[in-house]
Amino acid sequence: MAFQETSAEVMPVRGTRRFVPALRRGFKPIADARGFARGMLWTGAGLTLFFVVLAIFAPLIAPYQFDQYKDGIHRFPQLASPTSEHLFGTNVQSTDVLSRIVWGTQTELEVVVLALVLSLTIGVPLGLFSGYFGGSMDRVLVLVMDAMFAFPPLLLAIVIAFLLQDSFSSGVFTAAFAITIVYIPQCSRVVRNHVISVREEQYVEAARAIGARPLTVMRRYVFFNVVQNVPVIATLNAADAILTLTALGFLGYGVQPTEAAEWGYDVSRAVSDASSGIWWTGLFPGLAIVLLVTGLTLLGEGLNETVNPVLRKRSIARFELDPAAGEAEPTLLEP
């Protein structure tokens, strides 16, 4: 019993000792990033973190509810310009523009995160099996993915949203599933192409030679050499998914206005206001879309140049001889 208790206490420590070095190795390329890639990475991370904080603390940051048009018995003024009471003004429905932007951040990130989780959950296994086994299954999956690529992404999302609008009670799930269908082929093809190159490596051949099962080989040797591309794919797709979601909302196929605030819907309602000189109803939601897409794009490109060993730039140590001491002293050079 004493041996069992001791082993039970040691096992978590051993697991922690193994996990911490692996975590450090995973974040080492990010910590060693230099130059323009480092600037893109941290700028994108800062912008993305800003909107994440807005989404999480929306009930505390937003001065009003997303559909609130009056304070007590007094109705808010319609199409009021920015004031101290309404920093970003009000729209034609007398709702506060700032509040709709803050609550809209929560809607945008909720839909995009759900869509990315579903697309990665479906696309990564399809790419793994297709690339590793090949044969007729690979040809069928490639044919299906190519057929989906033939449709413009926005048109495909509109068709899926139209077909599913009566299947779900929540417009968030409808928009998320519509975006999921768009990004499954991209995720699957990227993972498949990488698996095809990894499956011919010597360590994979050695694992098969000693009798390891295909699922074991994929799980232990192939997946962890392919998964490094997944954060880059997810981040870049997230930026494009924001544009797809706002386009769906602009056309009226996204989240319903009575359900939640959505930036694309606000921009569509502000088109008629712009011709009358009312600029604040469309400017601020448009800026929110631009900033969030820019942040996610910079984050994805920074991760790509940092994690990808082909694009990653390393610091170069040049050794110079000291004539007086006769010893070599390393000098760190920035790329």
Side-chain angles (χ1 to χ4, degrees), residues 318-331:
R318 182 179 65 189
F319 289 86
E320 296 180 353
L321 292 176
D322 187 0
E327 297 179 352
E329 296 183 355
T331 303

Side-chain angles (χ1 to χ4, degrees), residues 76-299:
F76 296 149
Q78 189 179 34
L79 296 174
S81 59
T83 60
S84 58
E85 185 178 358
H86 303 282
L87 296 179
F88 288 176
T90 60
N91 57 19
V92 69
Q93 298 170 330
S94 299
T95 55
D96 185 66
V97 175
L98 175 60
S99 300
R100 290 193 61 84
I101 291 176
V102 175
W103 287 106
T105 305
Q106 193 176 74
T107 304
E108 303 288 330
L109 293 182
E110 182 180 355
V111 173
V112 170
V113 169
L114 181 58
L116 290 179
V117 169
L118 291 174
S119 62
L120 292 176
T121 303
I122 299 173
V124 171
L126 287 178
L128 280 173
F129 282 92
S130 178
Y132 185 81
F133 290 105
S136 58
M137 181 181 67
D138 181 42
R139 289 192 292 270
V140 171
L141 288 175
V142 169
L143 179 62
V144 173
M145 299 304 167
D146 287 343
M148 296 177 66
F149 270 124
F151 291 91
L154 181 58
L155 178 60
L156 182 60
I158 291 174
V159 172
I160 298 300
F162 177 76
L163 295 176
L164 296 178
Q165 62 181 355
D166 296 331
S167 301
F168 299 98
S169 58
S170 174
V172 172
F173 287 102
T174 302
F177 276 103
I179 298 175
T180 297
I181 301 300
V182 172
Y183 295 109
I184 285 177
Q186 297 182 14
C187 180
S188 176
R189 289 298 296 272
V190 171
V191 173
R192 171 191 174 272
N193 294 337
H194 199 184
V195 170
I196 289 177
S197 61
V198 170
R199 72 181 183 184
E200 305 299 332
E201 296 290 340
Q202 294 182 356
Y203 58 87
V204 178
E205 294 288 345
R208 286 197 291 257
I210 62 177
R213 297 179 179 179
L215 292 179
T216 303
V217 175
M218 286 191 295
R219 178 174 56 86
R220 300 191 59 181
Y221 302 102
V222 177
F223 175 75
F224 288 103
N225 288 281
V226 175
V227 74
Q228 60 182 351
N229 291 331
V230 171
V232 178
I233 298 171
T235 308
L236 293 176
N237 283 349
D240 195 50
I242 293 291
L243 296 177
T244 304
L245 177 60
T246 53
L248 289 175
F250 186 89
L251 297 173
Y253 293 101
V255 180
Q256 297 302 314
T258 58
E259 183 179 350
E262 203 277 316
W263 296 340
Y265 173 80
D266 292 343
V267 173
S268 68
R269 295 300 300 267
V271 172
S272 59
D273 299 337
S275 60
S276 303
I278 302 172
W279 51 268
W280 54 88
T281 57
L283 175 64
F284 295 115
L287 284 177
I289 296 171
V290 171
L291 289 176
L292 181 54
V293 172
T294 301
L296 291 171
T297 303
L298 291 177
L299 180 60

